[in-house]
Amino acid sequence: DADVTQTPRNRITKTGKRIMLECSQTKGHDRMYWYRQDPGLGLRLIYYSFDVKDINKGEISDGYSVSRQAQAKFSLSLESAIPNQTALYFCATSDTSYRETQYFGPGTRLLVL
Amino acid sequence: GQQLNQSPQSMFIQEGEDVSMNCTSSSIFNTWLWYKQDPGEGPVLLIALYKAGELTSNGRLTAQFGITRKDSFLNISASIPSDVGIYFCAGQPNSGGSNYKLTFGKGTLLTVNP
């Protein structure tokens, strides 16, 4: 079984809709991250969480929100989806701070029409 | 913010050839990581480097943490068709309180011709 899972793997939605992407991990890591990937722009950090009560904005948090429901679960919401949020979204986890090594989920491909 | 220059952007090689790609930074990094991403999938960690000068292998892959702590390279020997994909470097800057943050290169697209 995969250590980091994401659901759904693919999603098509319409402009203005609220959607949620979910991430679960069995690695026992404290830290979780959400990234988006766009062609030519690489991976950009949206939000990150160091533990259940800790939420931090990344580079591009506008239009997104997150919830850390448990150590193993971190969800990303698009409050009102817009077409330029069409991208690949990845969840990642890591355990310690100094030797930062992140492990990624398989990704969610989102298309906003 | 931090910038990582990854080169080359793309490579087209024949099966059996060796491959080399590298990442450079203008500032010091504590950690260098190399990932591979297949189409439609998430990046998979290949090699992690934690000390300046460290040389680590994973099968046909070898990566090194540069002595200056500002660069890293990845070599793939005797390439095979399943090596096709995008290879990313990532580094953890030596910047105190922001020690969570990884900086990613833009990737090297590798194509292997059978």
Side-chain angles (χ1 to χ4, degrees):
Chain A
D1 289 338
D3 295 320
V4 184
T5 57
Q6 292 183 235
T7 56
R9 293 295 312 276
N10 294 279
R11 179 74 186 268
I12 300 174
T13 192
K14 294 183 179 179
T15 297
K17 295 290 187 182
R18 182 180 188 275
I19 67 162
M20 180 183 291
L21 310 182
E22 300 192 9
C23 176
S24 294
Q25 52 113 348
T26 58
K27 298 182 80 68
H29 288 171
D30 290 327
R31 300 180 171 211
M32 299 187 73
Y33 309 81
W34 276 104
Y35 292 89
R36 67 177 278 176
Q37 186 179 44
D38 300 276
L41 294 178
L43 286 158
R44 292 183 291 169
L45 184 63
I46 305 172
Y47 270 97
Y48 62 100
S49 169
F50 286 173
D51 63 40
V52 174
K53 296 182 179 180
D54 178 78
I55 300 290
N56 304 281
K57 293 182 177 180
E59 309 169 52
I60 53 164
S61 58
D62 287 349
Y64 302 95
S65 62
V66 291
S67 174
R68 185 84 183 265
Q69 302 94 323
Q71 187 202 35
K73 294 185 183 296
F74 193 35
S75 59
L76 175 73
S77 294
L78 283 67
E79 299 301 327
S80 179
I82 56 176
N84 77 0
Q85 290 177 313
T86 293
L88 266 173
Y89 289 86
F90 291 105
C91 173
T93 73
S94 67
D95 56 359
T96 58
S97 61
Y98 184 71
R99 303 298 193 187
E100 180 66 15
T101 303
Q102 294 183 14
Y103 298 87
F104 286 81
T108 294
R109 186 175 296 276
L110 176 65
L111 174 61
V112 183
L113 300 175
Chain B
Q2 301 286 347
Q3 295 284 333
L4 272 188
N5 296 311
Q6 184 171 351
S7 64
Q9 288 186 334
S10 62
M11 302 183 74
F12 188 92
I13 63 170
Q14 295 295 123
E15 183 176 358
E17 290 183 356
D18 296 344
V19 172
S20 184
M21 60 192 78
N22 69 83
C23 276
T24 60
S25 169
S26 58
S27 54
I28 290 172
F29 277 41
N30 289 332
T31 299
W32 283 99
L33 307 170
W34 285 93
Y35 292 89
K36 182 191 178 202
Q37 185 177 19
D38 291 328
E41 300 295 328
V44 174
L45 183 67
L46 299 174
I47 293 178
L49 303 161
Y50 301 122
K51 293 182 186 177
E54 182 179 356
L55 184 71
T56 298
S57 293
N58 177 6
R60 293 177 296 105
L61 278 63
T62 302
Q64 186 160 29
F65 193 139
I67 289 291
T68 65
R69 297 171 64 191
K70 293 183 179 181
D71 62 345
S72 177
F73 72 75
L74 174 71
N75 287 344
I76 305 173
S77 62
S79 59
I80 59 178
S82 63
D83 290 334
V84 165
I86 301 176
Y87 292 79
F88 290 98
C89 62
Q92 180 190 18
N94 180 36
S95 53
S98 299
N99 58 9
Y100 66 92
K101 190 179 287 185
L102 286 183
T103 300
F104 289 88
K106 295 256 170 81
T108 295
L109 173 61
L110 178 63
T111 303
V112 180
N113 191 32

